[in-house]
Amino acid sequence: MPTVDVNRDELFAALNQTYTDEQFDELCFEFGLELDEVTSEKEMITREQGGERATNACEDIIYKIDVPANRYDLLCIEGLSQALQVFLQKHTAVEYRRVEPQGGQRQKIVITPDTAKVRPHVVGAVLRNIALDETRLKSFIKLQDKLHQNICRKRTLVAIGTHDLDTLEGPFSFEALPPDQIVFQPLNETKEFSASELMSHYKGESHLKQYLHIIEDKPVYPVIYDKNRVVLSMPPIINGDHSKMTANTRNVFIECTATDLTKATVVLNILVTMFSMYCKEPFTVEAVDVEWVDGSVHTYPELKYRTESVSVADINGKVGINESAEKLSSVLTKMCLTSELSEDKESIAVTIPPTRSDVMHACDIVEDVAIAYGYNNIEFVLPQTCTIGKQLPMNKLTDLLRADVAQAGFTEALTFTLVGEPRMFLLFSLFPPSLFHHPLFPNNVTH
């Protein structure tokens, strides 16, 4: 589970309420989180590097909170505080909107064909008139790091680039060029490097060297240019220094390059929904067009709301409660899920926001009902059936034979050679590929 470090006082200010450590630990448990540690920057440095290095460290209390690996919306203080406020019923879930730029002309990213050799996808968005400060900027950067380590799989699937849009001019182009043709000044460096020089330079750098292997053996490297051939980034390694964000940045251009388009859209949705709260028009995101290699144009971020229908009887049966459809619908609002009842009140149509990419099936909604209802409020009952587990005789015989046969020098191989169509496909509701008959077993269709 990822661990999120949040300043206790900043979190309490966002929640408009203070708690003791014990009270906040209980709140985390009720919401499905775990307060892993209460510490401070000074205490962490003392423990890891010694007391001498911690002399001037901050002594503010830090909460280390374990969050589920698929709850990307809880990886920063902004998302965590919003979710807890909704859970405590202090606020209702917000609605995120994609808006058009005031001038009417969207920013555009054009993908060139050679990117297919290394990193074929890109998505983008603009946070317009955002109010940042040093604290918010640090949180923005920390969220990117958490996403890189989690859903982005250490930048192999997705790499995030954030830029000061006022230093750039669109349209942008996403290209793939030989390393020696890419020359720019990377982030926090004082001179220009070619991409080849940069890869050698970063081999001795503790933070970035772990990402070099992703592209270093490729014939071309991905790079994003603006209209004036200013380099925004060379993903997944480093951004350019020219468009570096600061606390004074007011318009943020976000690009996510990827090998997995679905993951890229999720990452972009999380970034813009978490920090659009600081925009002049809160919870709005400016659209960006992406022109694919085939000439088709796609608009991001998607910010899609989708609906999933769940049976009331199914929820009650799986959670172990007996509540009305109205009560279950009310409970779901605590998890940022709005809903409508069917006419017969036997099912609930649940609206899933773009922040909740973890909700994939009806069973995920059932789990949210259990959390919001409160596990401690579910009545303890004895199972209706009583069984005693034991090993099947066939499995016991197989285990005994397996040991003796292995000791005789044979190697066990488990393949699908003798497995027929019903077991491989039909039982899983899959459509089989081309089939042929095994010459020794004509009645057993194999693959």
Side-chain angles (χ1 to χ4, degrees):
M1 295 174 67
T3 301
V4 181
D5 300 348
V6 295
N7 183 290
R8 181 195 64 182
D9 296 338
E10 291 176 6
L11 179 60
F12 288 174
L15 295 175
N16 295 316
Q17 186 173 343
T18 59
Y19 298 86
T20 65
D21 293 343
E22 292 75 16
Q23 289 172 333
F24 188 74
D25 186 23
E26 181 64 24
L27 174 61
C28 287
F29 175 79
E30 291 176 358
F31 189 56
L33 310 178
E34 182 180 351
L35 180 58
D36 183 60
E37 185 180 0
V38 180
T39 183
S40 68
E41 181 182 330
K42 184 172 185 177
E43 184 178 338
M44 289 189 291
I45 295 175
T46 300
R47 184 168 59 244
E48 296 172 3
Q49 304 178 24
E52 294 182 359
R53 293 182 176 271
T55 304
N56 298 319
C58 180
E59 297 187 31
D60 289 352
I61 299 299
I62 294 175
Y63 280 164
K64 289 193 169 188
I65 303 172
D66 288 340
V67 303
N70 59 355
R71 287 299 302 269
Y72 313 119
D73 58 314
L74 303 180
L75 292 175
C76 61
I77 189 173
E78 287 77 11
L80 184 62
S81 60
Q82 287 182 56
L84 287 175
Q85 284 181 316
V86 174
F87 181 74
L88 294 169
Q89 297 181 301
K90 293 182 178 181
H91 293 290
T92 57
V94 300
E95 181 180 355
Y96 302 97
R97 295 185 298 114
R98 189 175 71 189
V99 298
E100 297 299 324
Q102 290 185 348
Q105 185 67 35
R106 294 175 183 170
Q107 295 292 346
K108 186 176 184 180
I109 308 174
V110 179
I111 303 176
T112 60
D114 283 343
T115 56
K117 300 176 182 178
V118 58
R119 209 170 185 86
H121 306 294
V122 65
V123 296
V126 173
L127 293 176
R128 184 72 68 176
N129 296 318
I130 190 171
L132 294 176
D133 55 29
E134 291 295 341
T135 300
R136 293 173 180 177
L137 180 60
K138 288 180 180 178
S139 180
F140 194 37
I141 295 171
K142 285 174 65 176
L143 175 59
Q144 293 177 58
D145 289 339
K146 290 291 184 184
L147 291 170
H148 275 150
Q149 297 302 313
N150 194 342
I151 183 175
C152 300
R153 296 295 186 268
K154 296 186 177 181
R155 306 190 188 182
T156 57
L157 299 182
V158 185
I160 306 165
T162 54
H163 312 274
D164 187 335
L165 182 58
D166 294 330
T167 67
L168 303 166
E169 185 177 359
F172 305 93
S173 62
F174 178 39
E175 305 177 17
L177 301 173
D180 292 336
Q181 294 183 22
I182 303 172
V183 180
F184 69 105
Q185 182 178 335
L187 188 66
N188 298 327
E189 297 289 347
T190 57
K191 66 175 184 177
E192 291 187 341
F193 293 80
S194 70
S196 299
E197 294 170 338
L198 201 57
M199 298 295 275
S200 299
H201 178 69
Y202 284 140
K203 283 184 178 178
E205 205 275 347
S206 59
H207 174 61
L208 294 175
K209 67 179 181 181
Q210 61 181 311
Y211 307 119
L212 301 182
H213 70 93
I214 302 173
I215 62 170
E216 65 180 343
D217 60 344
K218 305 294 184 183
V220 291
Y221 289 179
V223 61
I224 299 180
Y225 290 102
D226 79 345
K227 178 182 178 181
N228 301 313
R229 303 302 287 176
V230 172
V231 172
L232 279 70
S233 65
M234 187 181 77
I237 309 300
I238 191 71
N239 289 346
D241 194 71
H242 180 88
S243 56
K244 177 181 178 179
M245 284 183 58
T246 69
N248 297 319
T249 297
R250 289 297 169 260
N251 298 298
V252 179
F253 179 71
I254 303 172
E255 41 87 2
C256 299
T257 59
T259 57
D260 186 322
L261 183 58
T262 300
K263 293 288 193 298
T265 56
V266 170
V267 169
L268 184 64
N269 283 344
I270 294 298
L271 276 173
V272 297
T273 53
M274 294 301 99
F275 284 85
S276 60
M277 65 184 295
Y278 298 132
C279 291
K280 185 176 181 180
E281 188 177 355
F283 309 114
T284 61
V285 186
E286 188 175 303
V288 169
D289 285 338
V290 177
E291 182 178 319
W292 288 8
V293 174
D294 62 4
S296 60
V297 176
H298 302 258
T299 304
Y300 297 96
E302 293 183 343
L303 296 183
K304 288 182 179 178
Y305 285 78
R306 62 183 180 87
T307 302
E308 185 83 33
S309 182
V310 192
S311 163
V312 172
D314 196 33
I315 295 175
N316 281 324
K318 289 181 177 177
V319 177
I321 55 179
N322 185 21
E323 297 291 347
S324 65
E326 291 84 357
K327 173 66 175 178
L328 296 178
S329 178
S330 175
V331 163
L332 281 169
T333 61
K334 297 172 65 176
M335 305 302 290
C336 299
L337 301 176
T338 57
S339 57
E340 293 183 1
L341 305 183
S342 63
E343 292 185 2
D344 57 10
K345 296 186 179 181
E346 292 186 358
S347 64
I348 304 175
V350 181
T351 301
I352 302 161
T355 53
R356 294 300 307 276
S357 60
D358 60 298
V359 180
M360 302 175 66
H361 309 285
C363 59
D364 298 313
I365 297 173
V366 173
E367 180 186 16
D368 273 5
V369 169
I371 293 172
Y373 188 83
Y375 286 108
N376 290 334
N377 297 323
I378 300 173
E379 182 182 356
F380 286 89
V381 295
L382 292 174
Q384 296 181 356
T385 58
C386 181
T387 60
I388 299 175
K390 65 177 182 179
Q391 190 178 26
L392 291 173
M394 180 59 73
N395 289 347
K396 184 176 181 179
L397 175 61
T398 302
D399 289 341
L400 293 173
L401 288 174
R402 179 177 288 115
D404 289 339
V405 172
Q407 290 170 10
F410 291 91
T411 299
E412 181 178 11
L414 298 177
T415 71
F416 293 109
T417 304
L418 300 180
V419 177
E421 176 185 336
R423 287 185 179 275
M424 288 185 65
F425 296 99
L426 301 184
L427 291 178
F428 295 95
S429 299
L430 299 175
F431 294 100
S434 58
L435 308 177
F436 62 88
H437 291 270
H438 196 289
L440 298 181
F441 303 94
N443 296 324
N444 192 27
V445 181
T446 57
H447 309 263

